[in-house]
Amino acid sequence: MLPNLLAIAEACAASREAADYARLAACYDLATEALSKIGRHSASRITADRSTTYSRLSGSPLAAAASARAFSIVLRHEGRADTAQRVTLHAASQVEATGLTTPAQAAAFAQMLCTVSYAAAEAGDRDRALEMIGEAERAAALLPEPAAGPQSFTVTPASVTLYKVGVLRSLGDAGAAVHAGRNLRAAQFRTAERRGRLHTDMARAYWQWGKPEQTAHALLAAHRAAPSEVRDRPSIRAIVTDLTQRHPRTSGIRELAAAGVRPPRT
């Protein structure tokens, strides 16, 4: 459905209105995230570049922040975590310059702190990663409850904690990551994608920690919440392959196979 969405958004942006450019950038952000998840990294680079172009045309620092977040995903997959950290830090400073006078601006700033933290962790910058996720936790605690309906950034204390799980795992602290996410529940997340991500992030942490059974059950929970988060992501299918080969008798392995999760193509 992405090609149709992008075509419609492109047609709407022919008006050259700032809001239409911002919506078009958001559609390209969505495409970037989807393509990155399924391993189409060359295509995601193209959509990220287009998002950056249209967010600049919109003049919106929030649209620019969303584009920077999507671009950072591409950069990390390219092994350029240091650049991702600089891009997201610059976007965070632009959002902060708005004065954070609206809930949308404050939520965008908290989200960018999370993104900077993750990029820093991927770059091996432990001090900045922990500093930024701590600031994100404090910022999220001050945010009002997210309103219903579509928003550029939906940030809650639970969503920041989920980022913390990823940050700690990326820093190599698998046990600390599992401990950080121990009280997270799927009901705290509004979308199937985030609920699935909760379980895949916990599965990654368990796997890094050497806990195959917990890994398998977290992946099964992810498959129940959002099947494509397990079935269509090469990085997650690779964990399933390793589990199957190294721990074939572990509880949950047969259920994963029955769910149709296949090894990534090489």
Side-chain angles (χ1 to χ4, degrees):
M1 298 177 348
L2 278 173
N4 286 339
L5 174 67
L6 295 173
I8 293 168
E10 288 272 7
C12 290
S15 65
R16 298 188 179 182
E17 295 290 333
D20 290 327
Y21 279 136
R23 276 189 287 269
L24 178 54
C27 291
Y28 275 113
D29 290 338
L30 177 64
T32 300
E33 291 195 45
L35 290 165
S36 294
K37 280 178 181 287
I38 63 173
R40 304 291 181 87
H41 301 306
S42 296
S44 71
R45 155 64 82 161
I46 295 170
T47 54
D49 285 344
R50 290 183 181 176
S51 173
T52 299
T53 297
Y54 290 121
S55 66
R56 286 174 179 165
L57 289 172
S58 77
S60 166
L62 301 191
S67 293
R69 177 177 176 269
F71 188 32
S72 74
I73 295 171
V74 175
L75 290 169
R76 293 198 307 269
H77 282 298
E78 291 178 345
R80 300 169 62 194
D82 285 325
T83 304
Q85 183 180 183
R86 290 195 295 272
V87 166
T88 52
L89 194 58
H90 176 67
S93 67
Q94 288 185 311
V95 175
E96 188 176 23
T98 65
L100 309 181
T101 56
T102 69
Q105 292 168 350
F109 183 61
Q111 174 62 65
M112 292 313 295
L113 291 174
C114 291
T115 306
V116 171
S117 177
Y118 195 81
E122 290 283 289
D125 190 343
R126 182 182 187 86
D127 290 342
R128 173 163 282 171
L130 296 178
E131 177 190 358
M132 292 295 102
I133 201 65
E135 288 195 23
E137 287 175 317
R138 290 186 286 275
L142 299 175
L143 291 174
E145 194 71 23
Q151 300 170 65
S152 296
F153 298 104
T154 302
V155 183
T156 65
S159 68
V160 174
T161 299
L162 182 55
Y163 261 94
K164 188 174 185 177
V165 171
V167 166
L168 291 169
R169 179 193 58 78
S170 184
L171 291 172
D173 294 342
V178 169
H179 183 77
R182 69 194 185 284
N183 293 324
L184 290 176
R185 299 292 179 268
Q188 295 172 296
F189 300 90
R190 298 171 66 179
T191 67
E193 187 270 344
R194 285 291 96 181
R195 292 190 288 272
R197 185 61 182 260
L198 162 63
H199 297 301
T200 57
D201 276 8
M202 292 299 289
R204 288 176 186 267
Y206 279 127
W207 184 239
Q208 188 184 78
W209 202 16
K211 306 284 186 181
E213 185 172 342
Q214 290 91 330
T215 301
H217 286 285
L219 290 174
L220 284 171
H223 191 272
R224 288 192 293 270
S228 59
E229 284 294 302
V230 180
R231 185 188 62 225
D232 298 331
R233 297 184 65 183
S235 60
I236 300 301
R237 297 204 315 273
I239 294 177
V240 175
T241 300
D242 285 347
L243 267 172
T244 303
Q245 292 176 349
R246 295 163 57 183
H247 306 279
R249 297 183 180 180
T250 295
S251 171
I253 294 298
R254 290 183 179 179
E255 291 88 339
L256 282 170
V261 182
R262 296 287 183 263
R265 285 177 288 185
T266 57

